[in-house]
Amino acid sequence: MKKPSSLGGSNPDSQYRPSWPKVLVAISLVGIATFFTLYSHLPGLSYEGFRQQYYHDLVGLVGGALQSYAQSPYGRFPFPDDPFHFIPCTNATLLPALDDSNPVQSWARLFDPNPEHWSWGAPTSEQNVQGRDPYSGRGIYLCGYLQVPLDYTNKSEPRIVRLAVTKYQVSGLVRINTAINTAQSSSPAAGSKSERTIIVDPGGPGASGTSLVWRAAENFTKRLSDGKFDILGWDPRGVNASLPSIACFPHDAFRDRWSMLTGQYREAAGSPQVKLELADAMNNATFHACKEKYGDIPQFLSTAFVARDMEEIRKALDEDEVTGYLVSYGTSIGQTYANMFPHSVGRLILDALEYVRDHRQLGGFGWAALDNTTDVWRDGFLGECLNAGPKYCALSQPRGSETVSLQNLEDRMRNLLVSLSQRPITGYLESSGPSLITYSAVVSAIYGALHNADSWPALAQMLYELEAGNSTLATAFLDNSEWEYHPSTSCPTSPRPRPLSHELGPLVICADSYDAPLPPDGLLWWQSLWANMTTRSWISGNEEFFSVLPCQHFRTYWPPPAELYRGDLNHTLKNPLLLIAETHDPATPLRNGKNLLNEMGKNARLIVHHGYGHSSRDKSSCTDSIIRAFILNGTLPAEQETPCYADGKPYLYGSNTTEFRTGSAVAQDPIQIWREHIQELASWNPRLVLRR
Ligand SMILES: *[C@@H]1O[C@H](CO)[C@@H](O)[C@H](O)[C@H]1NC(C)=O
Ligand SMILES: *[C@@H]1O[C@H](CO)[C@@H](O)[C@H](O)[C@H]1NC(C)=O
Ligand SMILES: *[C@@H]1O[C@H](CO)[C@@H](O)[C@H](O)[C@H]1NC(C)=O
Ligand SMILES: *[C@@H]1O[C@H](CO)[C@@H](O)[C@H](O)[C@H]1NC(C)=O
Ligand SMILES: *[C@@H]1O[C@H](CO)[C@@H](O)[C@H](O)[C@H]1NC(C)=O
Ligand SMILES: *[C@@H]1O[C@H](CO)[C@@H](O)[C@H](O)[C@H]1NC(C)=O
Ligand SMILES: *[C@@H]1O[C@H](CO)[C@@H](O)[C@H](O)[C@H]1NC(C)=O
Ligand SMILES: *[C@@H]1O[C@H](CO)[C@@H](O)[C@H](O)[C@H]1NC(C)=O
Ligand SMILES: *[C@@H]1O[C@H](CO)[C@@H](O)[C@H](O)[C@H]1NC(C)=O
Ligand SMILES: *[C@@H]1O[C@H](CO)[C@@H](O)[C@H](O)[C@H]1NC(C)=O
Ligand SMILES: *[C@@H]1O[C@H](CO)[C@@H](O)[C@H](O)[C@H]1NC(C)=O
């Protein structure tokens, strides 16, 4: 995971010292002339921009004591006419509070003029020949924010939402002196935005788009656009660094504490009735707390408003049509967006499809997710394990004289889980002391692992050892995935870490099904839904049930959301959508893609991606080339539906290439693989990391 703080210092070429002066500007002709020279050459800065900036500076100087202005070799950020107020990201670029009386100034003060503290993209090999400037030709991470109305439907509502936005600008930045000297000859695109900006969203609801940019922007721009287009991610209203950010617990540790009591799976020992009463009472308590803390704000978090936010982002980018890659719940934002703003649809890709119409029904968000989870387990995790063999997958090692068949392996795993449901296995680690391996925690870890086949060798190793009576690895895995608060990594130092915005998820899900009738028999209906969902999928049924159960209480605390999109999904769009649905996705079954294509008709094309895991992360050159032709050229397959197959097989990824580590993940540290998996999972689906 790329953190801003770790990048600035990791500059390999540290003997290079840029000559950036901290310019102390006095009111003098020289100063004014300097300003003109500097600002008028900044790419993309109009005369109007210059005039405003100059005016702003002059007022600052006349109005107060002599101020010092930080100047970098790339000019001063934010540019005055930039609606996103972008400044190069450092570890200090946190949004000004909502009650800040001068947020523009507070934000501008966070600009750190030292390029060594900024987050630059990885250098490419070409850049080594470009002389001593270590930043030349490298992309740059820019942090900013966009203010949007809290309530789009009420012009007299003064409250706002401040959306955190992070952009990876592929062309990097241009030094001022370079711009002056080579204004004619240098590429016009250098140091400015790309022709199109790819907006990304990881889903959730509740996943952070800014974190996704940190993790994956450099990969995304290559995969989606051959490195040509910028990548922009935002934290949706209520999420992470955006303000307000919805966390109804003051600390993550308190949420963890209660989820132990209330996150018990239906099959685990104990009465389902008692477990349901507990979970339901806690949901009520949680929404009560959200109401106390946030008042009416949950009325303004529905997907329709998130779509409006995306339209504001498009306008702020000053692009006529939106370009985007939206994943999982992000596809629900995309479907809603496309039908609310059909004339703004440019090159929009929806990957790992939901069918947003399902979410209008009570529980629909959960029960529409279940179809193929067990197929991923059987065909993928177990089946491909046997195909790969014991060198690559621990579970295909024979136990004693028995040969391992799929049926036999499935039965063994079932026996292990049944035994866990009756009595947990004990665990011990020096770092965490005594612990329990519970049914709920292991099944939740399995569901998480099915999202990403890279984690399968590690999980197979863990289950193999657990079955053989060694719980050490299982203890370490669960220790990494079960809780948000970890005393060794999140000590209550100052400033205290902000709690994660996990309550945003149920608030969005429940708002989106607000007008569905509530069951007359209350918990009886939920109990039968729970039984139904867990029968359909023992792996995902509980998790998906817990994501919708809170909706029993949403209406007690809030009137209807300010807006819900209830129109059809077949509007005539400026450009068709490119849909990607996977045959073996544990959370967004293929059926969703088929349903959506069926409704959208000629306004969409579908890639049926034959691969394992959540979204098209199981690489297929076929899928990738269709994606690039669409993003770069706007061309789409003629056929409504195109099948594409993953290039490799789980457990064997890279096994035919030279860099493959013999024995792959089995030889690598499984705990490290698991840790990386959990981090990636958090960036797609924060619900799953917190085990309920
Ligand atoms: C932020 O980065 C600066 C310089 O790179 C460093 O001195 C400072 O300790 C960092 N602060 C935090 C909170 O990480
Ligand atoms: C619009 O917002 C104002 C200010 O918060 C509030 O007083 C009013 O009741 C709102 N109107 C509606 C229809 O929600
Ligand atoms: C990005 O791509 C590189 C190489 O192509 C790969 O090693 C790395 O794991 C990728 N990172 C992410 C976050 O996908
Ligand atoms: C945003 O999410 C990331 C990844 O989960 C986390 O590290 C970061 O602290 C969060 N930021 C805020 C302001 O909550
Ligand atoms: C829900 O919580 C509220 C506030 O604590 C309480 O008054 C009410 O009785 C609770 N309802 C149920 C059904 O538990
Ligand atoms: C996914 O689920 C559907 C049922 O909705 C089923 O028809 C299909 O065969 C499943 N896919 C796989 C790969 O088993
Ligand atoms: C149990 O598993 C751990 C982790 O894989 C391993 O280090 C340890 O040697 C195993 N213990 C025994 C008794 O096999
Ligand atoms: C679950 O509910 C669906 C829809 O009502 C129904 O078609 C299905 O048969 C039920 N499945 C079970 C196992 O009860
Ligand atoms: C969209 O579908 C509805 C029926 O679901 C139909 O009445 C309507 O004509 C369709 N609109 C378009 C533009 O095809
Ligand atoms: C885009 O179109 C150009 C010109 O027709 C072609 O050379 C190029 O290969 C296309 N790119 C992709 C990714 O399809
Ligand atoms: C690796 O190569 C062998 C033979 O060259 C081929 O049969 C096999 O399918 C390849 N495996 C993968 C995962 O590409």
Side-chain angles (χ1 to χ4, degrees):
M1 173 115 167
K2 190 178 323 265
K3 283 273 162 48
S5 51
S6 68
L7 278 176
S10 68
N11 167 15
D13 199 354
S14 54
Q15 80 277 13
Y16 173 84
R17 281 282 169 278
S19 59
W20 53 275
K22 203 168 196 175
V23 180
L24 184 72
V25 179
I27 310 177
S28 70
L29 285 176
V30 176
I32 292 167
T34 309
F35 264 114
F36 183 76
T37 317
L38 297 179
Y39 286 125
S40 62
H41 286 85
L42 287 180
L45 191 62
S46 60
Y47 171 73
E48 185 57 21
F50 161 70
R51 200 190 54 73
Q52 280 173 11
Q53 179 66 63
Y54 174 62
Y55 176 78
H56 182 246
D57 290 335
L58 200 63
V59 168
L61 289 165
V62 172
L66 203 64
Q67 271 181 276
S68 79
Y69 278 95
Q71 178 73 54
S72 83
Y74 302 89
R76 182 142 66 85
F77 294 83
F79 295 164
D81 51 359
D82 176 359
F84 292 111
H85 315 273
F86 279 129
I87 59 184
C89 302
T90 66
N91 58 5
T93 38
L94 267 187
L95 264 50
L98 284 173
D99 60 4
D100 189 324
S101 57
N102 195 343
V104 174
Q105 197 178 63
S106 308
W107 179 251
R109 258 192 234 117
L110 298 180
F111 172 53
D112 176 340
N114 184 352
E116 283 183 40
H117 297 165
W118 303 352
S119 298
W120 298 86
T124 62
S125 49
E126 299 151 34
Q127 276 138 23
N128 298 333
V129 298
Q130 292 200 358
R132 295 170 60 240
D133 181 347
Y135 307 124
S136 159
R138 283 167 70 175
I140 180 92
Y141 288 85
L142 299 172
C143 286
Y145 65 89
L146 186 69
Q147 288 186 180
V148 296
L150 175 67
D151 185 356
Y152 285 99
T153 64
N154 182 354
K155 293 277 174 270
S156 52
E157 170 60 68
R159 286 173 296 171
I160 57 142
V161 164
R162 196 164 278 146
L163 298 174
V165 175
T166 299
K167 179 169 92 157
Y168 180 66
Q169 179 160 288
V170 291
S171 70
L173 298 173
V174 176
R175 283 174 186 272
I176 290 165
N177 57 359
T178 318
I180 294 169
N181 296 338
T182 62
Q184 299 303 321
S185 60
S186 77
S187 155
S192 54
K193 74 188 282 297
S194 54
E195 184 190 325
R196 287 172 180 269
T197 306
I198 304 174
I199 301 174
V200 296
D201 183 89
S208 159
T210 61
S211 302
L212 182 63
V213 168
W214 285 112
R215 277 187 68 76
E218 289 168 61
N219 284 25
F220 276 169
T221 182
K222 280 184 217 136
R223 179 181 175 216
L224 305 170
S225 75
D226 279 336
K228 289 203 172 57
F229 293 157
D230 300 341
I231 304 289
L232 179 146
W234 90 100
D235 286 344
R237 46 179 59 215
V239 175
N240 196 250
S242 285
L243 297 171
S245 161
I246 306 289
C248 305
F249 293 85
H251 301 286
D252 291 329
F254 296 148
R255 188 188 295 111
D256 287 349
R257 177 194 286 178
W258 290 104
S259 74
M260 275 198 89
L261 184 64
T262 59
Q264 294 299 313
Y265 280 11
R266 195 166 192 279
E267 302 84 346
S271 139
Q273 184 60 28
V274 172
K275 285 185 277 199
L276 185 68
E277 296 283 356
L278 268 176
D280 179 67
M282 191 62 201
N283 288 335
N284 180 38
T286 304
F287 277 175
H288 173 75
C290 297
K291 174 78 177 196
E292 291 292 314
K293 192 166 173 190
Y294 295 104
D296 63 347
I297 283 174
Q299 281 173 261
F300 310 110
L301 301 173
S302 67
T303 301
F305 270 18
V306 180
R308 289 195 184 278
D309 292 341
M310 196 164 108
E311 179 67 352
E312 294 308 304
I313 290 170
R314 180 194 66 78
K315 290 188 211 158
L317 281 168
D318 196 20
E319 296 181 19
D320 289 341
E321 42 180 60
V322 84
T323 305
Y325 177 70
L326 312 177
V327 179
S328 196
Y329 162 74
T331 69
S332 287
I333 302 172
Q335 292 160 50
T336 306
Y337 176 86
N339 286 283
M340 287 174 72
F341 303 102
H343 304 296
S344 301
V345 176
R347 299 172 186 177
L348 198 51
I349 300 178
L350 309 185
D351 190 355
L353 287 160
E354 295 180 346
Y355 182 43
V356 73
R357 201 180 263 287
D358 291 336
H359 301 183
R360 298 177 189 180
Q361 298 177 57
L362 193 66
F365 181 93
W367 50 248
L370 309 175
D371 295 34
N372 294 124
T373 320
T374 333
D375 302 321
V376 188
W377 167 257
R378 188 184 300 115
D379 301 351
F381 178 75
L382 300 178
E384 298 292 354
C385 170
L386 294 178
N387 290 343
K391 184 174 168 207
Y392 301 103
C393 176
L395 278 175
S396 68
Q397 293 169 51
R399 282 234 181 269
S401 59
E402 250 182 311
T403 56
V404 193
S405 70
L406 183 57
Q407 188 56 51
N408 146 279
L409 192 54
E410 239 189 312
D411 293 346
R412 274 169 44 200
M413 290 298 109
R414 178 127 296 265
N415 291 344
L416 172 64
L417 289 163
V418 166
S419 119
L420 275 174
S421 73
Q422 287 156 359
R423 183 181 166 88
I425 293 175
T426 57
Y428 171 77
L429 283 181
E430 195 189 338
S431 57
S432 55
S435 64
L436 294 179
I437 318 296
T438 66
Y439 174 85
S440 308
V442 171
V443 175
S444 173
I446 289 173
Y447 186 31
L450 296 185
H451 284 62
N452 169 9
D454 287 342
S455 71
W456 293 1
L459 181 73
Q461 175 90 13
M462 181 274 249
L463 291 173
Y464 180 78
E465 290 182 9
L466 189 62
E467 188 194 26
N470 183 343
S471 64
T472 307
L473 203 50
T475 306
F477 274 29
L478 300 185
D479 203 43
N480 269 296
S481 50
E482 242 184 315
W483 318 117
E484 294 293 1
Y485 172 79
H486 203 287
S488 67
T489 54
S490 45
C491 264
T493 52
S494 55
R496 277 219 192 95
R498 278 213 263 155
L500 295 162
S501 50
H502 280 312
E503 285 67 39
L504 184 278
L507 292 173
V508 171
I509 292 167
C510 299
D512 282 355
S513 62
Y514 195 94
D515 48 4
L518 270 189
D521 50 357
L523 284 189
L524 275 180
W525 184 84
W526 290 102
Q527 187 63 261
S528 73
L529 181 69
W530 197 11
N532 182 307
M533 289 176 67
T534 49
T535 305
R536 284 177 57 206
S537 175
W538 60 270
I539 300 174
S540 58
N542 283 288
E543 219 64 63
E544 297 296 335
F545 175 75
F546 287 141
S547 78
V548 294
L549 177 62
C551 300
Q552 171 68 14
H553 295 287
F554 187 86
R555 282 167 246 197
T556 313
Y557 296 101
W558 295 283
E563 184 178 27
L564 293 171
Y565 179 73
R566 289 295 179 255
D568 287 327
L569 303 177
N570 59 357
H571 286 77
T572 302
L573 310 181
K574 186 174 177 193
N575 293 286
L577 302 186
L578 178 60
L579 312 177
I580 309 176
E582 290 71 27
T583 56
H584 289 84
D585 185 314
T588 51
L590 181 58
R591 180 166 60 112
N592 295 347
K594 300 265 189 183
N595 285 344
L596 182 61
L597 183 71
N598 189 37
E599 178 162 1
M600 295 190 70
K602 63 181 176 14
N603 291 296
R605 302 287 185 283
L606 175 68
I607 298 177
V608 176
H609 180 98
H610 294 254
Y612 294 111
H614 192 42
S615 85
S616 60
R617 66 183 312 300
D618 195 357
K619 182 182 157 57
S620 155
S621 309
C622 162
T623 298
D624 287 358
S625 71
I626 295 174
I627 286 177
R628 273 192 298 272
F630 182 49
I631 293 284
L632 289 171
N633 288 353
T635 47
L636 279 169
E639 306 76 31
Q640 281 283 93
E641 240 184 86
T642 309
C644 279
Y645 290 81
D647 296 348
K649 290 287 186 195
Y651 302 99
L652 298 173
Y653 295 130
S655 60
N656 280 0
T657 65
T658 47
E659 76 260 29
F660 186 71
R661 303 80 49 180
T662 308
S664 182
V666 181
Q668 283 185 310
D669 178 8
I671 296 174
Q672 185 55 31
I673 294 173
W674 192 252
R675 205 170 274 142
E676 285 163 18
H677 160 67
I678 292 300
Q679 272 191 10
E680 182 179 332
L681 195 61
S683 79
W684 300 106
N685 193 343
R687 275 186 296 133
L688 261 179
V689 176
L690 187 68
R691 188 185 50 85
R692 43 172 257 101

